[in-house]
Amino acid sequence: MNTHSMLTNKPTIAKATIGVKELAQHAGVSVGTVSRVLNGEISVSPKRREAVQKAIQSLGYKRTSAAQMLASRRSRSITHTGNIAMVFVGMSENWQGHPTTAALINGVDQACNDSSFHPLLETCTDDRHLPRCIANGKVDGLLIKSSNVVPRFLDQLPDYLPRVLVGMAEPTLACNQVLPDHRASAWIATEHLWSKGHRRIAFVNNQDMHRIFISRYQAYEQLLRSRRAYDPQLVVRNEDPPGFEPEVNFPDMSYAVEQLWALDDPPTAIVAANDWMAAGLYQALKKRGLTVGKDISVIGFDNVLSVCCMLEPQLTSYEIPLQDVSRHATRLLMNLIENPADNLNHSTQMLPGRLIERDSVVDLNA
């Protein structure tokens, strides 16, 4: 059957019921394709774009305004857009090329590729106001990526709109949440050092108010307290942390090394709150004449390959499953859109990662 017959042999649809789904059915394309055409995106083949435009003309489709869409959804007469959005809260556009952001976006893309939904991405530097994609009625559901703050616009979201919080656990929120198991990651990392014979294990963090790093510290402390090996002198924190922007250079961790090696009994191993801080420790330790993987062991988090594999020796790091988290959260959101009753059941799901062993940890048992 050629394209012309596909377009002309469609059953008549009442104009009151015409939406993106009906356009897609009439044009013989996916809902996501229709959404991309309506949003003016160029990533659509000329043939499919023409099919959608002909369907619009044939059915007399008129795009619903944001106000009309909000009213219709409140009355349960929902006009689906075929879009879902991931909003990055408290993150400027400077984060767009960061490895952690790329991993999250890849997970959303993978989930959408297996469905009829099309992903939209938006940064939100002022969490007092609704994201543009919500204010303009462009999405059927919302992924909220936040690591350290509960966005204030949550109170303004319409009740009918499915949403999933990504990357941060907030027990007071009545919504579904998906995040990495940060406490388990630090427990496993600290246990790995313990299994290699280390008993003087330090924890270094230059962003003391960050929720993720707090969770990692708590697991580190809990494990060592359970082994009667916790020493608060081995914990180094920065009470004046840098702003929440991606750093261009590795942080200067000289203050941490100076504090730890001023002790009568310095550590044999250091847990750094992330790979970036671990790299800063490498530089500070080298200045002091200490060799990682020989004189001192270092372990990090995130497994950022551009960092871990560049360092000498290569850094042992706990891989945080950001791509799995965003893919799982996206699939959960799609289910909530297609099955609205499930929005009444809220859960918090934490996904495990894995430890990637390289050469930065000395085995004292050998």
Side-chain angles (χ1 to χ4, degrees), residues 70-285:
L70 290 174
S72 67
R73 290 188 174 195
R74 290 192 184 101
S75 66
R76 301 298 182 183
S77 176
I78 298 177
T79 302
H80 288 290
T81 67
N83 296 331
I84 60 173
M86 173 170 271
V87 174
F88 293 86
V89 178
M91 297 172 66
S92 70
E93 294 181 355
N94 295 332
W95 283 94
Q96 289 184 359
H98 195 272
T100 58
T101 308
L104 290 164
I105 293 173
N106 286 340
V108 176
D109 276 338
Q110 288 177 4
C112 287
N113 285 339
D114 298 331
S115 74
S116 60
F117 287 95
H118 178 65
L120 303 178
L121 304 173
E122 184 175 330
T123 56
C124 176
T125 55
D126 187 349
D127 66 334
R128 295 172 299 174
H129 306 297
L130 280 174
R132 296 185 305 277
C133 61
I134 301 298
N136 295 331
K138 290 186 175 181
V139 296
D140 299 325
L142 187 63
L143 297 165
I144 305 165
K145 171 61 182 79
S146 182
S147 298
N148 208 38
V149 297
V150 177
R152 287 170 285 184
F153 65 68
L154 284 180
D155 292 337
Q156 304 174 49
L157 292 178
D159 293 339
Y160 63 79
L161 185 75
R163 77 290 306 262
V164 177
L165 187 65
V166 180
M168 182 182 76
E170 177 51 59
T172 63
L173 291 182
C175 71
N176 288 281
Q177 304 175 45
V178 182
L179 67 153
D181 194 337
H182 294 295
R183 289 180 66 91
S185 69
W187 185 283
I188 291 169
T190 309
E191 172 64 38
H192 177 68
L193 294 173
W194 186 274
S195 72
K196 299 297 183 182
H198 296 276
R199 299 297 180 264
R200 298 285 292 169
I201 303 173
F203 186 92
V204 173
N205 176 19
N206 75 344
Q207 296 189 35
D208 193 35
M209 302 303 291
H210 199 291
R211 285 190 179 211
I212 289 176
F213 302 152
I214 291 172
S215 294
R216 291 173 184 168
Y217 165 71
Q218 289 172 336
Y220 153 88
E221 179 182 354
Q222 185 178 5
L223 184 142
L224 291 183
R225 283 191 182 277
S226 71
R227 309 283 170 84
R228 299 181 182 275
Y230 176 73
D231 183 350
Q233 294 186 93
L234 294 175
V235 178
V236 181
R237 298 167 172 165
N238 184 0
E239 296 182 357
D240 186 23
F244 191 59
E245 285 290 323
E247 298 177 85
V248 177
N249 301 311
F250 297 137
D252 183 2
M253 306 300 288
S254 299
Y255 71 94
V257 172
E258 291 172 6
Q259 181 176 327
L260 292 172
W261 265 263
L263 301 173
D264 293 334
D265 189 9
T268 63
I270 302 175
V271 177
N274 68 6
D275 293 339
W276 205 252
M277 294 180 215
L281 283 170
Y282 268 58
Q283 295 176 335
L285 291 164

Side-chain angles (χ1 to χ4, degrees), residues 292-348:
V292 175
K294 180 180 178 182
D295 305 316
I296 182 71
S297 296
V298 177
I299 197 166
F301 298 88
D302 296 335
N303 192 40
V304 178
L305 295 179
S306 59
V307 175
C308 297
C309 296
M310 177 203 71
L311 296 172
E312 181 59 41
Q314 293 188 1
L315 177 66
T316 293
S317 179
Y318 191 93
E319 184 176 72
I320 304 300
L322 294 177
Q323 189 165 303
D324 291 342
V325 164
S326 61
R327 181 171 56 244
H328 185 81
T330 304
R331 289 172 177 166
L332 174 59
L333 181 64
M334 292 172 182
N335 179 69
L336 296 175
I337 294 170
E338 295 169 353
N339 302 281
D342 290 349
N343 281 291
L344 300 176
N345 302 316
H346 303 136
S347 66
T348 297

